[in-house]
Every structure is written in structure tokens, then in C-alpha cells.
């Protein structure tokens, strides 16, 4: 069976890391006799330059028709001037695909604690999964943008909270059985609804899972103080965006962090959590691991090829533990030499 993957390289380091993921997928497809078909489409700033639209109709049609969508990254200073924004294309893509649950795993492998900016003792054993709500909240509320006043509405329905909470509880059952739900219920109405919806679902169907509620400011602190205490961290869109960048540096660099975005069915969107990194774009400095591990998540969740995903994860772990890596984790490799090293291990 041939699987159809749409590639959206995007902007800045996006094409560099998407190219690395593609190389790894090709190597894995050959080794495991998988049939993968790719279609590359314009998206983000690159699509604005070509057509004025960050998410053109033909790109949308291709994505809706695919088994999985892989995105490099979008955005950059070139499109910050007040015209259409590449990031708006990404929000519309997530909404069009209906991918409401964004999984962002962060772990520190045994023996790799030295890559962390924190004391090795503090990050030993870190293995957490942020489940971020991705198609609601402040990202999608009404906006008012005037010269003197601006507002961003934050709206959640109970149904939106319950469906992403269900993913967190189901995932926790397959891990160590703990969910920390993060909100700002001491201030925000949406957070009080969030807490109520999560608690009700927990009591009705998931009382075997250990649930705690943590305020987001305290969670920002605890992620540094005792990150190994957490397993699944469930939170809303904006808090999840911020906390996942924070958590991503526990193993050493945001360049290491992958993500999978899922909805109903198996089609998903896969992207490293970092952005277009304009400061290092075009210099061969981008760490390809976040993108490569995102490709592994794509094989696991959308393409029914878990054993191939395991082989990629193992190759990445082996390359990192042998001391190879890009400059962000203290290594001497370029994006392509590191990618080749991982390819050779598959
Ligand atoms: P960023 O994630 O692009 O970069 C933050 C820092 O991390 C930079 O110093 C960068 O060099 C470094 N970094 C990021 N990826 C790296 C990698 N693979 N290897 C090594 N270092 C890496 O965040 P930013 O600078 O705040 O945003 C730049 C642009 O990217 C903005 O336009 C933003 O909107 C966009 N953005 C896009 C996505 C996405 O497409 N999914 C995600 C985040 C930000
Ligand atoms: C991410 C990014 C996006 C987000 C931006 C580029 C819209 O920061 O994927 O984390 O905020 O969701
Ligand atoms: Mn982000």
C-alpha cells in the first residue's frame, strides 16, 4: 500500500530540516520496503511570495487528500510588515485538518543528561508528554485590532476540552498513568470550564488515572525544579505553546523536539516544535532531530509503521549518544552531516 505524504517545507530552516526528515524517510522506506509517495506544496511565507496566500487552495486540497502532512516551519522577519502572515496559514491548516490534539514528547535519555542546561541530577529520568489543545482558545477567538485598543477572545466549549482530555487520559494509561492538567482557574473563566470538564471526564471514565491540577505559573516553575515528577501534561493552546518551548530545552535544545497533531481518524500533521530560526537559516546549523523524530511519529500514528518509527528513534538515540550533533547541543556536525550519520544507522 502506498502512503501519500504532503511536504510543506515552509521558510527559514524549514526546508533544511524537512529535507533531513525526507532523507531519513527514504532510507527507512528502502530498508523496510515501505512505499511512500511525496507531494511538495507551497506554504507559509514561501506561498505568500508566490501567490499572496500562506495556505493556497491547491495546498489545502492536497493536505486534505493526504495520509499525513509534514511541515518544516514557517515565518520570518520578511513577513512581519503588516501583510498576510505565514503563521495564519499554519492556524488555518491545523483547523482544516481538525487536529485538536498536539503531542509534544520531551525526554532525557540515560547518559545524555550532560546536554541539558540544568544540573544532570535535576533532569535524570525526565520523560514527559505535553498534550496541547490545538484548535481552540485564544488562537482562534475573535480579534479586534485598533490603534489604541486591541483584544483577543479566548473561548472554549466543554466538548473541545473533553475530547483533548480524553486523548491525555488514554495516553496516560499506556504510560505511567498520571495526568497533570494545567490551567489558570484562579483567574480565567475558560480555565474554570477546563478544570470542570477534565474533572468530570476523569470521575466518569478515567478514575484509574492519577489526576492533578496545576496552575500554569506554578507549572512553569516546577518544570525547571522537578521535571521528572511529570508524565502527561494536559493544557490549552496558548499555555501549551509556551510550556513546550520551555520543556524542550530540558534535553538540551528546542531543535530536538518533535510533535504530532491528531484529530479523529489517522491523518495527522507532523512538525518539529521550533520555528523558522531566521538567525541560523541557510547556514547548515539547524538541528534536524526534531524534524526526524516528527517523521518517526508520522510513521507511528498515521502510516501504521511503528516498527520503522522505532528504528528511526533508535538510530537518533545512538547517533546522539556517540557524541554526534549540531552546534546547539555542543557538536561539530552540520545539518546534513548529522542527518547522514543517522541515515547510516538505519
Ligand atoms: P525559533 O524556534 O525559530 O527560534 C528560537 C531559537 O531557537 C533561535 O535562537 C533558533 O536559532 C533556535 N533554534 C530553533 N530551531 C532550531 C534548530 N532546529 N536547531 C538549532 N537551533 C534552533 O523561534 P523564533 O525565533 O521566536 O521565531 C522565528 C519565526 O518562526 C517566527 O516568525 C515565528 O512565528 C515562527 N515560528 C514558526 C513555528 C512553526 O512553523 N511551527 C514555530 C515557532 C515559531
Ligand atoms: C508552534 C508555533 C506556532 C504556535 C505559531 C507559529 C503559530 O509557535 O507550533 O509552537 O504558536 O502554535
Ligand atoms: Mn511555539
Amino acid at each position: 500500500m502506498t502512503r501519500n505524504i504532503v511536504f510543506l517545507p515552509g521558510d527559514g530552516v524549514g526546508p533544511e530540516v524537512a529535507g533531513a526528515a525526507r532523507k531519513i524517510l527514504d532510507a527507512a522506506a528502502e530498508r523496510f520496503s515501505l512505499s511512500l509517495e511525496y507531494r511538495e506544496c507551497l506554504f507559509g511565507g514561501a506561498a505568500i511570495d508566490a501567490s499572496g496566500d500562506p495556505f493556497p487552495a491547491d495546498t489545502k486540497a492536497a493536505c486534505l487528500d493526504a495520509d499525513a502532512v509534514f511541515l518544516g516551519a514557517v515565518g520570518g522577519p520578511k513577513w512581519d510588515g503588516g501583510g498576510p502572515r505565514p503563521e495564519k496559514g499554519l492556524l488555518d491548516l491545523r483547523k482544516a485538518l481538525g487536529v485538536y490534539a498536539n503531542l509534544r514528547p520531551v525526554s532525557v535519555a540515560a547518559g545524555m543528561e550532560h546536554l541539558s542546561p540544568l544540573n544532570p541530577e535535576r533532569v535524570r529520568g525526565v520523560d514527559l508528554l505535553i498534550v496541547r489543545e490545538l484548535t481552540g482558545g485564544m488562537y482562534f477567538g475573535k480579534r479586534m485590532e485598533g490603534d489604541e485598543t486591541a483584544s483577543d477572545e479566548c473561548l472554549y466549549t466543554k466538548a473541545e476540552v473533553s475530547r483533548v482530555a480524553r486523548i491525555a487520559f488514554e495516553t496516560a494509561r499506556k504510560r505511567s498513568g498520571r495526568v497533570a492538567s494545567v490551567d489558570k482557574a484562579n483567574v480565567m473563566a475558560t480555565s474554570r470550564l477546563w478544570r470542570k470538564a477534565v474533572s468530570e471526564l476523569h470521575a466518569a471514565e478515567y478514575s484509574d488515572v492519577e489526576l492533578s491540577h496545576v496552575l500554569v505559573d506554578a507549572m512553569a516553575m516546577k518544570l525547571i525544579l522537578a521535571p521528572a515528577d511529570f508524565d502527561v501534561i494536559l493544557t490549552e493552546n496558548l499555555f501549551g505553546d509556551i510550556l513546550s518551548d520551555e520543556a524542550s530545552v530540558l534535553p538540551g535544545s528546542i531543535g530536538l523536539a518533535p510533535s504530532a497533531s491528531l484529530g479523529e481518524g489517522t491523518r495527522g500533521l507532523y512538525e518539529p516544535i521550533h520555528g523558522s530560526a531566521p538567525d541560523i537559516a541557510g547556514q547548515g546549523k539547524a538541528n534536524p532531530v526534531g524534524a526526524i523524530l516528527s517523521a518517526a511519529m508520522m510513521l507511528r500514528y498515521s502510516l501504521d509503521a511503528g516498527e520503522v518509527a522505532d528504528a528511526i528513534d533508535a538510530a537518533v538515540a545512538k547517533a546522539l549518544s556517540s557524541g554526534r550533533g549540531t552546534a546547539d547541543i555542543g557538536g561539530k556536525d552540520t545539518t546534513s552531516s548529522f542527518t547522514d550519520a543517522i541515515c547510516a544507522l538505519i
Side-chain angles (χ1 to χ4, degrees):
M1 191 176 59
T2 299
R3 275 81 160 211
N4 295 302
I5 304 166
V6 165
F7 257 80
L8 308 173
D11 312 313
V13 299
E16 299 170 53
V17 300
R22 175 82 180 261
K23 252 196 214 173
I24 297 291
L25 284 169
D26 284 341
E30 197 185 317
R31 160 94 162 70
F32 291 89
S33 306
L34 275 184
S35 171
L36 305 178
E37 211 158 79
Y38 308 103
R39 176 155 171 210
E40 195 170 300
C41 296
L42 283 170
F43 189 65
I48 294 174
D49 289 351
S51 71
D53 181 355
F55 187 31
D58 53 344
T59 297
K60 182 174 177 178
C63 291
L64 290 173
D65 205 33
D67 294 312
V69 179
F70 188 95
L71 169 74
V74 294
K78 183 175 178 192
W79 303 281
D80 283 342
R85 293 203 63 104
E87 294 86 349
K88 175 71 167 52
L90 181 51
L91 302 192
D92 290 347
L93 170 64
R94 290 169 176 170
K95 200 65 160 184
L97 292 174
V99 287
Y100 58 80
N102 179 221
L103 312 187
R104 298 189 160 188
V106 172
S107 61
V108 178
M112 301 306 290
E113 296 85 359
H114 60 283
L115 294 182
S116 178
L118 299 188
N119 183 319
E121 297 310 320
R122 227 176 261 284
V123 295
R124 184 155 295 132
V126 165
D127 183 10
L128 54 87
L129 175 74
I130 296 178
V131 178
R132 170 191 177 194
E133 200 291 325
L134 201 63
T135 53
M138 209 178 281
Y139 279 70
F140 294 92
K142 288 193 196 79
R143 285 187 219 292
M144 192 275 286
E145 206 160 354
D147 289 333
E148 303 292 331
T149 314
S151 68
D152 300 279
E153 176 191 53
C154 182
L155 186 148
Y156 268 112
T157 65
K158 200 171 168 190
E160 285 175 316
V161 180
S162 303
R163 68 181 180 178
V164 70
R166 183 176 295 286
I167 302 258
F169 287 131
E170 289 289 338
T171 314
R173 274 187 179 156
K174 296 181 201 130
R175 295 170 50 97
S176 71
R178 285 174 296 136
V179 171
S181 174
V182 175
D183 61 39
K184 187 72 185 172
N186 53 346
V187 175
M188 292 168 66
T190 42
S191 281
R192 286 189 284 273
L193 179 78
W194 182 278
R195 197 175 277 217
K196 188 163 172 271
V198 172
S199 299
E200 283 181 12
L201 182 66
H202 176 252
E205 295 182 46
Y206 296 99
S207 52
D208 54 306
V209 176
E210 192 185 314
L211 171 67
S212 60
H213 299 281
V214 185
L215 295 171
V216 63
D217 47 352
M219 181 53 99
M221 181 271 294
K222 288 175 193 228
L223 269 177
I224 301 300
L225 200 62
D229 285 359
F230 297 98
D231 181 16
V232 175
I233 296 176
L234 164 67
T235 192
E236 62 100 73
N237 205 341
L238 182 61
F239 298 159
D241 178 46
I242 299 166
L243 292 177
S244 58
D245 267 33
E246 184 190 7
S248 78
V249 294
L250 296 169
S253 168
I254 192 170
L256 296 169
S259 85
S261 303
L262 306 169
E264 306 304 336
T266 60
R267 186 181 57 208
L269 169 65
Y270 299 86
E271 40 175 330
I273 82 158
H274 64 75
S276 60
D279 53 334
I280 58 166
Q283 301 169 44
K285 290 182 179 168
N287 191 330
V289 168
I292 291 168
L293 294 179
S294 300
M297 291 181 93
M298 174 166 79
L299 289 161
R300 183 173 291 118
Y301 294 117
S302 288
L303 306 178
D304 193 24
E307 77 290 2
V308 188
D310 290 345
I312 294 175
D313 287 350
V316 168
K318 200 164 175 196
L320 287 169
S321 68
S322 75
R324 298 289 297 263
T326 41
D328 56 314
I329 50 170
K332 292 190 168 56
D333 275 301
T334 62
T335 307
S336 59
S337 68
F338 192 31
T339 303
D340 290 343
I342 297 167
C343 264
L345 291 166
I346 290 174

